[in-house]
Amino acid sequence: MTHDDRTSDHFIREVDEELRREQLKTLWERFGFVIIGVCILIVAITAGYRGYVWWQSKKAAEEGDRYLTALEAIDAGNEAEGRETLAALAKDGGGYGMLARLRNAEIVAKTDETAAIAAYDEVANDGGVAPVMRDLARVRAGLLALDAGDLDGAESRVSSLDEAGNAWRHTAREILGMVAYQRDALEKARDYFVAIDQDVQAPQGVRNRAGLMISVIDGQLAPSPSADGASGDDAPEAEAPVSGDATGEATGNASAPASAEEGAQNTENGSADANSGASDTQSTQ
């Protein structure tokens, strides 16, 4: 390559660079403020987001402290002060506000089950509350309704929770089983408790209670000893003439009362076991 060619290439590159500089200068003059504004906006958004996260964390920590303070006041015997703090938290909303509403309903349940059920129903029907916590409120209300003898109310509140995948299905089935049991629908009640017992994801305590209720129901569904005694009445009557003495007749006549007494005793034992299972169920959650 000759000297003239090298000079020509160098000149062309200089011209190209100058043209690019002119183009960049023109773009900057036209869009420079826009570019600066976008950069500032990005920085502002990032700073604002980080500030919001910090504020939310600070607020949650403060609400957590207030919630714990309220619980400590209640445990110390200052129930009025604790409930006042819980009411303030409930008005503020948020996660701790929802917990405050549930805790306040639990306290009210000690003296007024009807008001507590209404408080739980309010949480259950609040669309702003997380679904899992709304279902918890339904379970709590269902337990109180069952304890108050409102079988229809207990059933209506938890029947929708009896589905696969629901976190509260085990307790809901336990409540539904007790409702059916108290209605003397033993087969239906047994199906609910068997479903609990066969669900490997059910808590061990709930499965233990379900197993107890299955045993109680099976004992009531099985033929009673009095029925067996009644079916065998023909045998003692046929043997009585063979013995031919007073002792044989006394033995044959006493067999039926003895069977009846044994059946009554078994029924009483079954009722006692059922009451024990109902008490365990009502103490759930």
Side-chain angles (χ1 to χ4, degrees):
M1 180 179 294
T2 63
H3 176 72
D4 293 338
D5 292 336
R6 289 193 297 271
T7 303
S8 177
D9 291 340
H10 180 70
F11 176 77
I12 292 173
R13 283 194 298 271
E14 288 182 351
V15 171
D16 289 339
E17 291 176 358
E18 185 64 27
L19 289 174
R20 281 194 291 269
R21 281 195 295 269
E22 289 294 332
Q23 291 174 349
L24 290 174
K25 182 179 179 181
T26 302
L27 289 174
W28 179 256
E29 291 175 350
R30 293 182 59 185
F31 302 107
F33 291 107
V34 176
I35 295 172
I36 294 174
V38 169
C39 293
I40 294 175
L41 182 62
I42 292 174
V43 172
I45 291 175
T46 303
Y49 173 75
R50 299 302 303 175
Y52 176 77
V53 170
W54 173 84
W55 178 77
Q56 285 287 84
S57 300
K58 183 176 180 293
K59 182 180 177 181
E62 291 175 351
E63 290 179 349
D65 291 340
R66 292 169 62 194
Y67 182 75
L68 291 177
T69 300
L71 297 186
E72 290 173 356
I74 293 172
D75 292 339
N78 300 325
E79 184 172 313
E81 179 184 347
R83 291 187 61 182
E84 183 179 353
T85 304
L86 290 177
L89 280 172
K91 290 181 180 179
D92 293 341
Y96 283 103
M98 179 271 301
L99 291 177
R101 293 166 67 184
L102 292 176
R103 180 60 174 171
N104 186 61
E106 182 180 349
I107 296 171
V108 172
K110 297 177 182 179
T111 55
D112 190 345
E113 288 186 343
T114 302
I117 291 174
Y120 282 127
D121 287 341
E122 183 180 352
V123 176
N125 297 325
D126 189 346
V129 177
V132 66
M133 303 309 295
R134 294 173 63 186
D135 290 345
L136 172 59
R138 292 188 180 95
V139 168
R140 292 290 182 86
L143 286 171
L144 290 177
L146 179 65
D147 183 62
D150 182 8
L151 302 184
D152 292 337
E155 183 178 28
S156 64
R157 286 176 173 84
V158 303
S159 58
S160 62
L161 309 182
D162 180 19
E163 57 182 13
N166 190 287
W168 304 104
R169 66 185 182 279
H170 317 296
T171 307
R173 289 169 181 169
E174 191 173 18
I175 295 173
L176 293 172
M178 290 306 303
V179 168
Y181 180 81
Q182 294 188 25
R183 288 173 174 168
D184 292 329
L186 299 184
E187 292 287 354
K188 184 177 180 180
R190 189 180 189 280
D191 291 340
Y192 282 120
F193 292 120
V194 168
I196 296 172
D197 188 57
Q198 293 179 350
D199 192 338
V200 295
Q201 295 181 343
Q204 189 60 45
V206 179
R207 296 180 67 183
N208 290 341
R209 290 193 297 271
L212 172 64
M213 290 304 301
I214 291 172
S215 300
V216 171
I217 294 172
D218 286 344
Q220 295 182 3
L221 290 176
S224 64
S226 59
D228 294 340
S231 63
D233 284 344
D234 294 341
E237 291 177 359
E239 293 175 357
V242 176
S243 62
D245 55 12
T247 304
E249 291 176 358
T251 303
N253 293 332
S255 61
S259 299
E261 292 176 359
E262 183 179 357
Q265 183 178 1
N266 288 338
T267 302
E268 292 176 358
N269 292 338
S271 300
D273 290 340
N275 292 332
S276 175
S279 299
D280 288 340
T281 302
Q282 294 167 3
S283 65
T284 307
Q285 302 297 330

